[in-house]
Amino acid sequence: SYSFCTLLAKMTKHAKSNVRSDSVAERGGKIFDTYKEKIPDKYKQYADYVRPPLMVFLTFIDLILPHLPKLWDACKHLHQFLLPVWEELSLVWGFVLAFFGGSFMFTITAVEAFRLVGKNPIMKAWHRIEDDVQRVIEKYEKHKHTTQELSADEWMKKNGSMVLATVDPDDCKAAMVGFYAGVTAILACLRNQFAQVVALGMSVGEVIEQHVGQFVNPVVKALLPEEHWRWAPLLTQCVCRLPAVLIAWTLQRIVCAFHSAMKGGNILSGALFAFLRKRGFISDPSQEVKAWVALALGFFGLIFQLSTVVDGLPFFLSIPLLPFTIVETILGFVTVV
Protein backbone atom coordinates (compact mmCIF):
# COMPACT_ATOMS: atom_id res chain seq x y z
CA SER A 1 0.00 0.00 0.00
CA TYR A 2 1.15 3.51 -0.82
CA SER A 3 0.40 4.81 2.71
CA PHE A 4 2.12 1.91 4.45
CA CYS A 5 5.29 2.30 2.37
CA THR A 6 5.22 6.07 2.96
CA LEU A 7 5.11 5.47 6.72
CA LEU A 8 7.93 2.94 6.52
CA ALA A 9 10.09 5.29 4.44
CA LYS A 10 9.51 8.23 6.79
CA MET A 11 10.26 6.19 9.90
CA THR A 12 13.39 4.77 8.25
CA LYS A 13 14.67 8.24 7.35
CA HIS A 14 14.00 9.53 10.84
CA ALA A 15 15.53 6.51 12.53
CA LYS A 16 18.65 6.82 10.42
CA SER A 17 19.19 10.48 11.34
CA ASN A 18 17.96 10.74 14.95
CA VAL A 19 18.22 7.38 16.68
CA ARG A 20 21.32 5.90 18.20
CA SER A 21 21.23 2.36 16.83
CA ASP A 22 23.23 -0.74 16.30
CA SER A 23 22.55 -2.86 13.27
CA VAL A 24 19.25 -4.73 13.02
CA ALA A 25 21.14 -8.03 13.13
CA GLU A 26 22.94 -7.07 16.36
CA ARG A 27 19.74 -5.89 18.05
CA GLY A 28 17.85 -8.93 16.84
CA GLY A 29 20.58 -11.25 18.08
CA LYS A 30 20.52 -9.63 21.53
CA ILE A 31 16.73 -9.84 21.75
CA PHE A 32 16.78 -13.46 20.57
CA ASP A 33 19.41 -14.40 23.16
CA THR A 34 17.42 -12.64 25.90
CA TYR A 35 14.24 -14.56 25.13
CA LYS A 36 16.18 -17.79 24.63
CA GLU A 37 17.14 -17.75 28.31
CA LYS A 38 13.47 -17.64 29.29
CA ILE A 39 12.32 -20.73 27.36
CA PRO A 40 12.46 -24.22 28.93
CA ASP A 41 15.78 -26.06 28.63
CA LYS A 42 14.30 -28.86 26.50
CA TYR A 43 13.43 -26.33 23.76
CA LYS A 44 16.71 -24.40 23.74
CA GLN A 45 18.30 -26.80 21.25
CA TYR A 46 15.62 -25.87 18.72
CA ALA A 47 16.38 -22.18 19.28
CA ASP A 48 19.98 -22.86 18.22
CA TYR A 49 18.67 -24.14 14.87
CA VAL A 50 16.50 -21.05 14.38
CA ARG A 51 19.20 -18.46 15.16
CA PRO A 52 21.45 -18.86 12.02
CA PRO A 53 18.68 -18.35 9.40
CA LEU A 54 17.24 -15.54 11.53
CA MET A 55 20.60 -13.75 11.55
CA VAL A 56 20.89 -14.16 7.78
CA PHE A 57 17.46 -12.59 7.36
CA LEU A 58 18.26 -9.70 9.73
CA THR A 59 21.55 -9.10 7.93
CA PHE A 60 19.63 -8.85 4.68
CA ILE A 61 17.35 -6.29 6.35
CA ASP A 62 20.47 -4.34 7.36
CA LEU A 63 21.57 -4.24 3.74
CA ILE A 64 18.30 -2.98 2.27
CA LEU A 65 17.14 -0.68 5.09
CA PRO A 66 19.48 2.26 4.28
CA HIS A 67 18.34 2.19 0.64
CA LEU A 68 14.61 1.95 1.38
CA PRO A 69 13.88 5.73 1.41
CA LYS A 70 15.68 6.26 -1.91
CA LEU A 71 13.92 3.25 -3.41
CA TRP A 72 10.54 4.49 -2.26
CA ASP A 73 11.24 8.00 -3.58
CA ALA A 74 12.03 6.43 -6.96
CA CYS A 75 8.78 4.44 -6.83
CA LYS A 76 6.81 7.62 -6.07
CA HIS A 77 8.41 9.43 -9.00
CA LEU A 78 7.59 6.44 -11.23
CA HIS A 79 4.01 6.44 -9.97
CA GLN A 80 3.65 10.18 -10.68
CA PHE A 81 5.14 9.63 -14.13
CA LEU A 82 2.75 6.79 -14.97
CA LEU A 83 -0.46 8.48 -13.83
CA PRO A 84 -0.74 10.81 -16.87
CA VAL A 85 -0.07 7.94 -19.29
CA TRP A 86 -2.27 5.34 -17.57
CA GLU A 87 -4.67 5.24 -20.52
CA GLU A 88 -1.75 4.59 -22.87
CA LEU A 89 -0.65 1.73 -20.62
CA SER A 90 -4.18 0.33 -20.77
CA LEU A 91 -3.93 0.47 -24.56
CA VAL A 92 -0.69 -1.51 -24.44
CA TRP A 93 -2.11 -4.07 -22.01
CA GLY A 94 -5.28 -4.55 -24.07
CA PHE A 95 -3.24 -4.90 -27.26
CA VAL A 96 -0.93 -7.53 -25.71
CA LEU A 97 -3.88 -9.45 -24.30
CA ALA A 98 -5.87 -9.36 -27.54
CA PHE A 99 -3.07 -10.29 -29.94
CA PHE A 100 -0.64 -12.36 -27.82
CA GLY A 101 -2.66 -13.73 -24.90
CA GLY A 102 -2.78 -17.28 -26.24
CA SER A 103 1.01 -17.51 -25.98
CA PHE A 104 0.78 -16.81 -22.24
CA MET A 105 -1.84 -19.31 -21.18
CA PHE A 106 -0.51 -19.88 -17.65
CA THR A 107 -0.08 -16.16 -16.97
CA ILE A 108 -3.62 -15.29 -18.01
CA THR A 109 -5.05 -18.19 -16.00
CA ALA A 110 -3.12 -17.06 -12.92
CA VAL A 111 -4.21 -13.42 -13.28
CA GLU A 112 -7.87 -14.33 -13.76
CA ALA A 113 -7.85 -16.81 -10.85
CA PHE A 114 -6.32 -14.26 -8.49
CA ARG A 115 -8.65 -11.50 -9.70
CA LEU A 116 -11.77 -13.61 -9.15
CA VAL A 117 -10.80 -15.06 -5.76
CA GLY A 118 -8.30 -12.80 -4.02
CA LYS A 119 -8.71 -9.29 -5.41
CA ASN A 120 -11.92 -8.13 -3.68
CA PRO A 121 -11.04 -9.34 -0.14
CA ILE A 122 -7.57 -7.82 -0.39
CA MET A 123 -8.81 -4.48 -1.73
CA LYS A 124 -11.55 -4.16 0.92
CA ALA A 125 -9.09 -4.95 3.72
CA TRP A 126 -6.35 -2.69 2.36
CA HIS A 127 -8.70 0.28 2.02
CA ARG A 128 -9.40 0.00 5.74
CA ILE A 129 -5.71 -0.55 6.53
CA GLU A 130 -4.84 2.52 4.48
CA ASP A 131 -7.04 4.65 6.72
CA ASP A 132 -5.33 3.21 9.80
CA VAL A 133 -1.88 3.85 8.35
CA GLN A 134 -2.83 7.45 7.56
CA ARG A 135 -3.67 7.91 11.23
CA VAL A 136 -0.33 6.35 12.18
CA ILE A 137 1.47 8.80 9.86
CA GLU A 138 -0.35 11.73 11.48
CA LYS A 139 0.57 10.53 14.97
CA TYR A 140 4.16 9.91 13.95
CA GLU A 141 4.54 13.36 12.38
CA LYS A 142 3.01 14.92 15.49
CA HIS A 143 5.18 13.13 18.04
CA LYS A 144 8.40 12.37 16.16
CA HIS A 145 10.25 15.15 18.01
CA THR A 146 9.74 13.16 21.22
CA THR A 147 11.85 10.30 19.80
CA GLN A 148 15.00 12.42 19.68
CA GLU A 149 17.95 10.79 21.41
CA LEU A 150 16.11 7.54 22.03
CA SER A 151 18.00 4.29 21.95
CA ALA A 152 17.19 1.90 19.13
CA ASP A 153 15.20 -0.45 21.35
CA GLU A 154 13.19 2.39 22.88
CA TRP A 155 12.50 3.86 19.44
CA MET A 156 11.34 0.51 18.09
CA LYS A 157 9.11 -0.15 21.12
CA LYS A 158 7.53 3.32 21.01
CA ASN A 159 6.75 3.36 17.30
CA GLY A 160 5.91 -0.32 17.14
CA SER A 161 3.40 0.13 19.96
CA MET A 162 1.87 3.09 18.12
CA VAL A 163 1.44 1.04 14.94
CA LEU A 164 -0.03 -1.97 16.77
CA ALA A 165 -2.44 0.23 18.71
CA THR A 166 -3.77 1.91 15.56
CA VAL A 167 -3.93 -0.80 12.89
CA ASP A 168 -6.81 -3.28 13.16
CA PRO A 169 -5.44 -6.86 13.20
CA ASP A 170 -8.67 -8.21 11.69
CA ASP A 171 -8.05 -6.13 8.55
CA CYS A 172 -4.49 -7.50 8.29
CA LYS A 173 -5.85 -11.01 8.72
CA ALA A 174 -8.49 -10.43 6.03
CA ALA A 175 -5.84 -9.14 3.61
CA MET A 176 -3.57 -12.15 4.25
CA VAL A 177 -6.48 -14.59 3.92
CA GLY A 178 -7.42 -12.99 0.60
CA PHE A 179 -3.82 -13.21 -0.61
CA TYR A 180 -3.46 -16.87 0.36
CA ALA A 181 -6.85 -17.65 -1.20
CA GLY A 182 -5.71 -16.01 -4.44
CA VAL A 183 -2.42 -17.92 -4.48
CA THR A 184 -4.23 -21.18 -3.73
CA ALA A 185 -6.68 -20.48 -6.56
CA ILE A 186 -3.77 -19.88 -8.94
CA LEU A 187 -2.12 -23.20 -8.06
CA ALA A 188 -5.43 -25.08 -8.17
CA CYS A 189 -6.44 -23.63 -11.56
CA LEU A 190 -3.03 -24.15 -13.16
CA ARG A 191 -2.62 -27.72 -12.00
CA ASN A 192 -6.25 -28.61 -12.71
CA GLN A 193 -5.90 -27.17 -16.20
CA PHE A 194 -2.67 -29.09 -16.78
CA ALA A 195 -4.20 -32.31 -15.43
CA GLN A 196 -7.30 -31.92 -17.62
CA VAL A 197 -5.23 -31.42 -20.76
CA VAL A 198 -2.95 -34.38 -20.02
CA ALA A 199 -5.88 -36.63 -19.08
CA LEU A 200 -7.76 -35.69 -22.23
CA GLY A 201 -4.70 -36.28 -24.40
CA MET A 202 -3.94 -39.62 -22.78
CA SER A 203 -7.55 -40.76 -23.13
CA VAL A 204 -7.63 -39.86 -26.83
CA GLY A 205 -4.22 -41.43 -27.28
CA GLU A 206 -5.46 -44.66 -25.73
CA VAL A 207 -8.31 -44.83 -28.23
CA ILE A 208 -5.88 -44.15 -31.08
CA GLU A 209 -3.57 -46.86 -29.79
CA GLN A 210 -6.38 -49.43 -29.78
CA HIS A 211 -7.04 -48.85 -33.49
CA VAL A 212 -3.64 -47.80 -34.83
CA GLY A 213 -1.28 -49.63 -32.46
CA GLN A 214 -1.57 -52.91 -34.35
CA PHE A 215 -0.12 -51.16 -37.42
CA VAL A 216 2.49 -49.08 -35.57
CA ASN A 217 3.92 -51.93 -33.49
CA PRO A 218 5.30 -53.95 -36.47
CA VAL A 219 6.89 -50.80 -37.87
CA VAL A 220 8.58 -50.07 -34.54
CA LYS A 221 9.85 -53.65 -34.33
CA ALA A 222 11.22 -53.41 -37.84
CA LEU A 223 13.24 -50.36 -36.81
CA LEU A 224 14.69 -52.03 -33.70
CA PRO A 225 17.18 -54.86 -33.31
CA GLU A 226 15.57 -58.13 -32.26
CA GLU A 227 17.11 -57.99 -28.77
CA HIS A 228 15.31 -54.64 -28.18
CA TRP A 229 11.86 -55.76 -29.28
CA ARG A 230 10.58 -55.74 -25.69
CA TRP A 231 10.69 -51.92 -25.91
CA ALA A 232 8.32 -51.93 -28.89
CA PRO A 233 5.02 -51.77 -26.85
CA LEU A 234 6.26 -48.76 -24.84
CA LEU A 235 7.44 -46.93 -27.95
CA THR A 236 4.13 -47.69 -29.64
CA GLN A 237 2.28 -46.11 -26.71
CA CYS A 238 4.47 -43.01 -26.95
CA VAL A 239 3.94 -42.74 -30.71
CA CYS A 240 0.15 -42.96 -30.30
CA ARG A 241 -0.37 -40.92 -27.11
CA LEU A 242 2.20 -38.13 -27.31
CA PRO A 243 0.67 -36.54 -30.46
CA ALA A 244 -2.76 -36.70 -28.80
CA VAL A 245 -1.45 -34.83 -25.74
CA LEU A 246 0.17 -32.21 -27.99
CA ILE A 247 -3.09 -31.78 -29.92
CA ALA A 248 -5.05 -31.43 -26.67
CA TRP A 249 -2.53 -28.83 -25.48
CA THR A 250 -2.89 -26.92 -28.76
CA LEU A 251 -6.67 -26.95 -28.44
CA GLN A 252 -6.36 -25.60 -24.91
CA ARG A 253 -4.16 -22.79 -26.20
CA ILE A 254 -6.81 -22.00 -28.82
CA VAL A 255 -9.47 -21.76 -26.09
CA CYS A 256 -7.17 -19.47 -24.10
CA ALA A 257 -6.49 -17.40 -27.23
CA PHE A 258 -10.23 -16.93 -27.76
CA HIS A 259 -10.72 -15.82 -24.15
CA SER A 260 -7.76 -13.43 -24.20
CA ALA A 261 -8.76 -12.00 -27.60
CA MET A 262 -12.28 -11.18 -26.44
CA LYS A 263 -11.16 -9.75 -23.11
CA GLY A 264 -8.24 -7.87 -24.67
CA GLY A 265 -10.48 -6.46 -27.40
CA ASN A 266 -12.86 -5.14 -24.74
CA ILE A 267 -10.02 -3.51 -22.75
CA LEU A 268 -8.38 -2.14 -25.89
CA SER A 269 -11.59 -0.62 -27.25
CA GLY A 270 -12.45 1.00 -23.92
CA ALA A 271 -8.96 2.47 -23.52
CA LEU A 272 -8.92 3.59 -27.16
CA PHE A 273 -12.23 5.46 -26.90
CA ALA A 274 -11.15 7.04 -23.59
CA PHE A 275 -7.86 8.13 -25.16
CA LEU A 276 -9.55 9.69 -28.22
CA ARG A 277 -12.32 11.31 -26.17
CA LYS A 278 -9.85 12.85 -23.72
CA ARG A 279 -7.98 14.50 -26.58
CA GLY A 280 -11.14 15.78 -28.25
CA PHE A 281 -11.03 13.63 -31.38
CA ILE A 282 -14.43 12.02 -30.78
CA SER A 283 -17.47 12.41 -28.56
CA ASP A 284 -18.78 9.65 -26.35
CA PRO A 285 -19.84 6.80 -28.72
CA SER A 286 -22.90 4.63 -28.20
CA GLN A 287 -22.76 1.23 -26.55
CA GLU A 288 -23.42 -0.48 -29.87
CA VAL A 289 -20.37 1.16 -31.45
CA LYS A 290 -18.22 0.17 -28.47
CA ALA A 291 -19.47 -3.42 -28.68
CA TRP A 292 -18.81 -3.73 -32.42
CA VAL A 293 -15.33 -2.23 -32.11
CA ALA A 294 -14.51 -4.57 -29.21
CA LEU A 295 -15.73 -7.58 -31.21
CA ALA A 296 -13.75 -6.50 -34.29
CA LEU A 297 -10.54 -6.04 -32.30
CA GLY A 298 -11.12 -9.37 -30.58
CA PHE A 299 -11.72 -11.09 -33.94
CA PHE A 300 -8.51 -9.73 -35.50
CA GLY A 301 -6.62 -10.59 -32.32
CA LEU A 302 -7.94 -14.17 -32.44
CA ILE A 303 -6.97 -14.55 -36.10
CA PHE A 304 -3.45 -13.33 -35.36
CA GLN A 305 -3.12 -15.65 -32.36
CA LEU A 306 -4.29 -18.65 -34.36
CA SER A 307 -1.57 -17.90 -36.90
CA THR A 308 1.05 -18.11 -34.11
CA VAL A 309 -0.25 -21.20 -32.27
CA VAL A 310 2.14 -23.56 -34.07
CA ASP A 311 5.07 -21.32 -34.94
CA GLY A 312 5.03 -19.20 -31.78
CA LEU A 313 5.69 -15.49 -31.53
CA PRO A 314 7.75 -13.75 -34.22
CA PHE A 315 11.33 -13.09 -33.17
CA PHE A 316 10.98 -9.30 -33.28
CA LEU A 317 8.18 -9.55 -30.69
CA SER A 318 9.95 -11.97 -28.36
CA ILE A 319 12.23 -9.28 -26.91
CA PRO A 320 9.59 -6.70 -25.85
CA LEU A 321 7.42 -9.54 -24.51
CA LEU A 322 10.33 -11.16 -22.65
CA PRO A 323 8.94 -10.28 -19.16
CA PHE A 324 5.70 -12.11 -19.99
CA THR A 325 7.72 -15.04 -21.31
CA ILE A 326 9.73 -15.26 -18.08
CA VAL A 327 6.56 -15.23 -15.95
CA GLU A 328 4.97 -17.84 -18.23
CA THR A 329 8.03 -20.09 -17.89
CA ILE A 330 8.05 -19.81 -14.09
CA LEU A 331 4.32 -20.57 -13.85
CA GLY A 332 4.71 -23.49 -16.24
CA PHE A 333 7.50 -24.91 -14.09
CA VAL A 334 5.41 -24.48 -10.93
CA THR A 335 2.46 -26.17 -12.62
CA VAL A 336 4.39 -29.21 -13.77
CA VAL A 337 6.49 -29.60 -10.63
Side-chain angles (χ1 to χ4, degrees):
S1 176
Y2 178 86
S3 300
F4 181 78
C5 293
T6 302
L7 170 65
L8 189 57
K10 287 185 176 182
M11 295 178 72
T12 303
K13 287 181 179 178
H14 187 251
K16 185 177 179 182
S17 58
N18 296 304
V19 178
R20 305 189 308 270
S21 62
D22 299 325
S23 68
V24 175
E26 291 176 352
R27 294 200 306 270
K30 292 177 182 178
I31 295 173
F32 183 86
D33 292 337
T34 300
Y35 282 97
K36 177 185 174 182
E37 299 300 326
K38 299 179 181 181
I39 63 176
D41 293 336
K42 61 180 181 179
Y43 297 120
K44 287 184 177 179
Q45 56 177 338
Y46 300 109
D48 293 333
Y49 297 128
V50 174
R51 196 179 195 282
L54 176 63
M55 295 306 295
V56 172
F57 175 74
L58 294 178
T59 303
F60 174 73
I61 296 297
D62 272 330
L63 293 175
I64 66 172
L65 199 58
H67 305 288
L68 183 61
K70 294 180 180 179
L71 178 61
W72 182 242
D73 288 339
C75 292
K76 287 197 295 184
H77 291 312
L78 179 62
H79 180 259
Q80 294 171 359
F81 172 77
L82 292 178
L83 278 178
V85 295
W86 189 253
E87 292 176 355
E88 288 78 359
L89 293 178
S90 298
L91 282 171
V92 174
W93 169 242
F95 180 79
V96 170
L97 194 61
F99 287 86
F100 309 107
S103 300
F104 307 105
M105 181 172 61
F106 290 133
T107 304
I108 292 175
T109 301
V111 171
E112 288 299 310
F114 193 89
R115 184 181 66 84
L116 293 173
V117 177
K119 177 186 174 182
N120 288 335
I122 291 176
M123 295 304 298
K124 290 179 181 178
W126 273 106
H127 284 317
R128 296 192 295 267
I129 293 173
E130 187 176 12
D131 296 335
D132 295 338
V133 172
Q134 287 290 353
R135 291 196 294 269
V136 173
I137 292 176
E138 294 172 0
K139 291 181 181 180
Y140 180 78
E141 292 291 340
K142 183 178 179 180
H143 299 289
K144 69 179 181 180
H145 63 278
T146 62
T147 60
Q148 300 284 343
E149 302 301 323
L150 288 179
S151 67
D153 292 338
E154 291 172 342
W155 184 87
M156 291 180 65
K157 288 179 181 178
K158 182 178 180 62
N159 290 288
S161 176
M162 178 177 62
V163 172
L164 294 175
T166 306
V167 178
D168 190 348
D170 290 335
D171 294 336
C172 297
K173 176 184 176 183
M176 289 188 291
V177 169
F179 175 77
Y180 291 137
V183 173
T184 303
I186 290 174
L187 295 176
C189 288
L190 290 178
R191 298 196 173 185
N192 183 56
Q193 185 181 51
F194 179 77
Q196 284 182 339
V197 172
V198 173
L200 176 62
M202 294 296 288
S203 177
V204 174
E206 185 177 359
V207 174
I208 294 175
E209 183 184 357
Q210 292 176 357
H211 297 283
V212 182
Q214 56 182 332
F215 305 105
V216 175
N217 193 57
V219 176
V220 173
K221 283 186 175 181
L223 297 174
L224 293 175
E226 186 175 353
E227 61 270 17
H228 297 160
W229 279 5
R230 60 178 182 170
W231 289 91
L234 177 60
L235 294 176
T236 302
Q237 285 185 355
C238 293
V239 169
C240 295
R241 298 187 182 187
L242 183 59
V245 173
L246 295 177
I247 293 173
W249 196 255
T250 302
L251 293 176
Q252 182 63 35
R253 284 190 61 185
I254 293 174
V255 172
C256 183
F258 177 80
H259 166 265
S260 65
M262 295 299 105
K263 190 173 185 64
N266 187 47
I267 295 174
L268 181 57
S269 66
L272 181 61
F273 283 125
F275 176 81
L276 296 175
R277 185 173 61 252
K278 183 178 180 180
R279 283 154 181 77
F281 293 110
I282 61 172
S283 59
D284 192 15
S286 63
Q287 292 296 328
E288 292 182 357
V289 173
K290 292 181 179 179
W292 281 110
V293 172
L295 287 175
L297 291 172
F299 175 76
F300 288 118
L302 178 61
I303 295 300
F304 180 82
Q305 290 189 62
L306 292 178
S307 67
T308 61
V309 165
V310 178
D311 298 331
L313 292 174
F315 176 76
F316 69 92
L317 293 173
S318 60
I319 296 178
L321 295 176
L322 182 61
F324 294 97
T325 304
I326 294 174
V327 174
E328 183 75 7
T329 303
I330 294 174
L331 291 175
F333 177 79
V334 171
T335 302
V336 175
V337 174

